[in-house]
Amino acid sequence: MLAGTSTPCGLRAVSTRSAAGGVLYPALPTGPARTSTCFAPCHDFNAPTQPVLLRRARKGVVPAAVSQAPTTNTVAQLVHQNSKPMKVIIAGAGIGGLLLAVALLKQGFEVQVYERDLTAIRGEGKYRGPIQIQSNALAAMEAIDQEVADEVMREGCITGDRVNGLCDGLTGEWYIKFDTFHPAVKKGLPVTRVISRVTLQLILARAVERLGGPSVICNGCGLRSFEERTSPATGRPEVVVQLEDGRSASADLLVGADGIWSTVRKQLIGETKATYSGYTCYTGISDFTAADIDIVAYRVFLGNGQYFVSSDVGNGKMQWYGFHKEPPGGTDPEGGRKGRLLEIFGHWNDYVVDLIKATPEEDVLRRDIFDRPPIFTWAKGRVVLLGDSAHAMQPNLGQGGCMAIEDAYELALDLSNALSAAGGDAGAVDLEPVMRTYQDNRLVRVSSIHGMARMAAYMASTYKCYLGEGWSKWVERLRIPHPGRVVGRLMMLVTMPGVLEWVLGGNTDHVAPNRTAYCSLGDMPKAFPESRFGEFMANDEAIVRALHADWLLVSERAATSTRMVAPAAAAAPEAGNGINGSRQQQAVEEEEEVDVNSSAECKGIYIGDEPALVGRCGSASRPALAVDDVHVHERHAQVWRGPRSASDHNIINNNGNNNNNSSNVNESSSYFLRDLATGRGTWVNGQRLPDGATVRLWPGDTVEFGRHPSHEVFKVKLQHVSLRSEELRGNGYSTLLVGKIRAPQPFLEPAYEPKAGAGVGAEEQGKLVAA
């Protein structure tokens, strides 16, 4: 990012920034950090020995003349010596509370943060997964502290640089796509990221320590109650908090940032029940690479009474959430969460099922989803609410944490302006109009997004793909699009661009005085030219054709506790038999316990440039894909990847209609199946092909040879090239772990090198690995 020379959409290449001299920029220089990294004497957090330093003074900030740079714990003290600072107690060291502490410390406030349990920051206990920080929240973070924002963006995984959207849960087909990249670029905002909650809180906690010293954050200090009184020492109004360990502390202001079950909220506005959303949520993180990871980052799969969310979180991991409509308080037997998930979602598309299977049982968590209705009283006297304690919302828009970040910026800005107007005298600040300004500036935006999150949950879980779903299987089989699906899609196509622009950029004017609009080169799409973004948004087929993915024709069945393996080294394939046409030897049984919920017994082939023969098991033709059925001919069909011949007028779509028209995408990457006119029959998606016909395949298509229904049903499936497996064989079933990469077994050596372009997307080539 180049300093000081950008327009709202100007590109920046390096990470130095100029400042506009806004309210929230530091008023004093920051010197070297202390060697101590303990947040407070009352907790035992052990951070790395080198906390992050502020390395750059901002343009327009004139360093004070000092003989020696002050240490981090003296920065606030220098301000306090020359003013009457306002003291603020923050209940809760979550994202909103810590970021508010950073903002206030930079303005010379005296801050104390009390937290019941910091194990999340220390990384102890169960890993809670990433959080989405969207463009609006990243901009507010930049306005508070550029170094914190830089570190968050550096550690996070960019998801806004790719296609996102809603899909049908059963088929995986796109319903509507979201473009979160261009709304951010248009307003000069950072592009949406996801980041580990632990990492994010650690970055914020270190920033608090850097600015205020090791005693600002106190662990094991949950807040029990508070009361307002006149200070016997100063005669000024104050708020006194009672801690769970029996201690007390006083301040000018108490901020309740202690979450949906907030103690501060309960005392401030009275006992109110959280609202159960109607859904329990299973969640996990998988070591898995989706077939379309290079172009698609975030997706919501829609269903009736259930929906599923998946997101790239970087480092070869995918985060997912499975929502299911049921009463609260449900539990699963030990080791049964993953099995129940597969009962709920096991009939959905491969993107969903494979992601669940790739997640170990112990990494699957479950919790009921609650929110709270919007309230119109965020503050009384010297107590104010922030984040989930004021407006806990459902996670469907990914804006819960983002709203807390915006709250922190707005509250810090209003307090800073009030203290500045009072000449730095905290006793002269009338907090009532300050709190009213804070609430008025936040209430409409937060309430609107709260309502959108509820509406999104309702829409995601009441979606119906076909007419008859839920009341008539016969009508559903007719595949008539549900009217609600059609009308809803039209409405979203019209309204979604404006909604996204407001959600992501609706707070831009508030943060504009304290940040410079810019577009970072690092936020640009990495796997495809930005010029193709519009093509991918408009053309579903263009996405599939551009993937770095192999196409497979594979039959899957439930895994058993033993594996069938080929003991000999793989040999070079014979001509005409495709990638998996190597000499096969008699399989032997190897005793090995497998997790049946993470595995599948598979038989199949990678579809390559050379036509692969499909035939009956044991035939002299030695087919690449051997079907165990006497109804299948020895030379039954062929599958391959390549261009369609201009003279071939017998190519049909998988819906059985003649198709002689070229699409807008490169036909050279098409995949085909040809029936070899044996009279035995080939069925695609339940429809028999004319003898000798050629059909263009599509992901999700089902294929049967010899009879319908068949006991071996093959599916066209996409798999990212990084998960390519030598263990997949076309003449027998082998047990494969879903999404897991492990070193090749001795009997698989040497590994086979596929020919260029054989079932590989774009320029991705390379050695096969066992999966």
Side-chain angles (χ1 to χ4, degrees), residues 5 157 204 213 227 239 337 474 504:
T5 59
C157 169
L204 296 176
E227 64 173 340
V239 58
R337 291 186 297 273
W474 182 86
L504 299 179

Side-chain angles (χ1 to χ4, degrees), residues 554-571:
V554 63
S555 177
E556 299 182 24
R557 66 189 187 189
T560 60
S561 59
T562 58
R563 303 177 63 224
M564 298 298 293
V565 300

Side-chain angles (χ1 to χ4, degrees), residues 25 395 448 680:
Y25 286 131
S448 299
R680 302 292 183 91

